[in-house]
Each structure stands twice: as C-alpha cells, then as structure tokens.
C-alpha cells in the first residue's frame, strides 16, 4: 500500500560552536507522529517552513523559536533529505497527522554568541517550548541519540557537514 500523504517541508539546523560541536535539544514529550523514545530524545533544532518563506529565513526563525539563538552565521546547506514518520494511531487532528514524514533542507550555522544566549524553555512566536535541556554534542554522535526513524538523515547531515566539525 502506497502512502499518499505528502512530506511536510522542513528545515533542520546544525549549529556549530567554536569547538566544532553541534547544539542538541532534549525533547520533553512525545509529539504525535514524532514520538520520542526513552534515551533517544535528543535532536538538533528543526521545524516547518511557512508558505512562501525563504528556506534560510525559516532556518533562522526555527533556531530562534526553539533556542533563542540569533547569533549565527551561514556555513552551508544540504540538498533535500526526507524521512518517514512511524505509524501513528493518534488523533488525526494533530498538526502532523496529514503528512507521511518530513522533507528537509539542513543548514550548517556557526554560533557566534555566548552560551547564555541559549534558552530553549521560553516559548517564542506563540510556539510551545520543545526542549527542556540542551548541550553541545559531537556531530558524529548525534545519530545515536535521536529516534531511529531520523537516523539516516542525521548520518547524511553528519557526513556532509563533517568539515565544519573540525
């Protein structure tokens, strides 16, 4: 049976610090099709693209909404990558229930601020907080701490952005 649902357009952000590590956030709840699993509840910032929004602008907006970070400069981006959501039996009114997964363009950004700029707990832009903690992590380790259905995308991002991790 073919899944007729579309992919949701999405951007992901690999925010690199001066040591070449990336910012990851700890998700504090299951979120419908993007359910988290114990021990696999970390991810890099990501989010949907608004109709007509420029992708790089969407990446900066999502980074700010989820982490409060505005001190970042562009390093590079991937081609489109996609992942499928796992089967979802929850309410079909959930904002992601109409999608089969996410089609993402990932952006590598260099963090130019100080760590005290990072605040994932304060809601911004009318969006609820998604993370209850954050840390810097080696890019080549991030795929091991995300939910399994995102791993291949995270591995592709790690391979493409490896030069920024040095």
């Amino acid at each position: 049976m073919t899944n007729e649902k579309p992919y949701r357009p999405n951007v992901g952000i690999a925010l690199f610090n001066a040591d070449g590590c990336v910012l990851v956030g700890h998700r504090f709840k299951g979120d419908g099709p993007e359910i988290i699993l114990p021990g696999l509840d970390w991810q890099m910032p990501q989010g949907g693209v608004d109709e007509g929004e420029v992708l790089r602008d969407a990446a900066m907006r999502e980074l700010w909404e989820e982490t409060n970070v505005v001190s970042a400069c562009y390093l590079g981006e991937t081609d489109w990558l996609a992942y499928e959501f796992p089967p979802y039996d929850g309410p079909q009114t959930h904002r992601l229930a109409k999608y089969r997964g996410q089609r993402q363009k990932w952006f590598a950004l260099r963090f130019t601020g100080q760590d005290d700029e990072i605040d994932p707990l304060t809601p911004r832009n009318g969006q609820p907080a998604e993370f209850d903690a954050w840390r810097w992590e080696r890019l080549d380790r991030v795929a091991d701490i995300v939910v399994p259905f995102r791993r291949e995308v995270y591995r592709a991002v790690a391979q493409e952005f490896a030069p920024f991790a040095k």
Side-chain angles (χ1 to χ4, degrees), residues 80-159:
W80 287 100
L81 303 167
Y83 65 82
E84 307 256 336
F85 292 137
Y88 176 63
D89 294 326
Q92 292 305 300
T93 55
H94 188 280
R95 65 185 169 79
L96 297 178
K98 64 184 175 183
Y99 299 105
R100 70 188 291 176
Q102 304 210 81
R103 183 174 179 257
Q104 299 179 305
K105 169 108 26 190
W106 280 82
F107 291 84
L109 304 174
R110 178 74 64 200
F111 183 50
T112 59
Q114 301 297 315
D115 282 3
D116 61 2
E117 178 179 345
I118 302 168
D119 169 21
L121 292 173
T122 303
R124 283 171 278 283
N125 243 10
Q127 301 297 315
E130 292 186 31
F131 304 134
D132 63 2
W134 68 274
R135 72 179 195 231
W136 297 109
E137 182 59 75
R138 282 185 25 193
L139 179 63
D140 63 351
R141 292 184 181 166
V142 178
D144 295 330
I145 60 173
V146 301
V147 289
F149 61 89
R150 288 192 178 134
R151 284 200 180 130
E152 289 308 310
V153 165
Y154 271 66
R155 286 183 181 119
V157 169
Q159 184 174 2

Side-chain angles (χ1 to χ4, degrees), residues 19-35:
D19 295 326
C21 291
V22 292
L23 184 140
V24 292
H26 181 261
R27 295 199 60 159
F28 59 85
K29 62 181 177 180
D31 190 19
E34 292 197 292
I35 192 164

Side-chain angles (χ1 to χ4, degrees), residues 27-50:
R27 295 199 60 159
F28 59 85
K29 62 181 177 180
D31 190 19
E34 292 197 292
I35 192 164
I36 59 172
L37 300 171
L40 303 174
D41 37 14
W42 293 88
Q43 71 178 53
M44 290 186 277
Q46 66 175 58
V49 178
D50 295 335

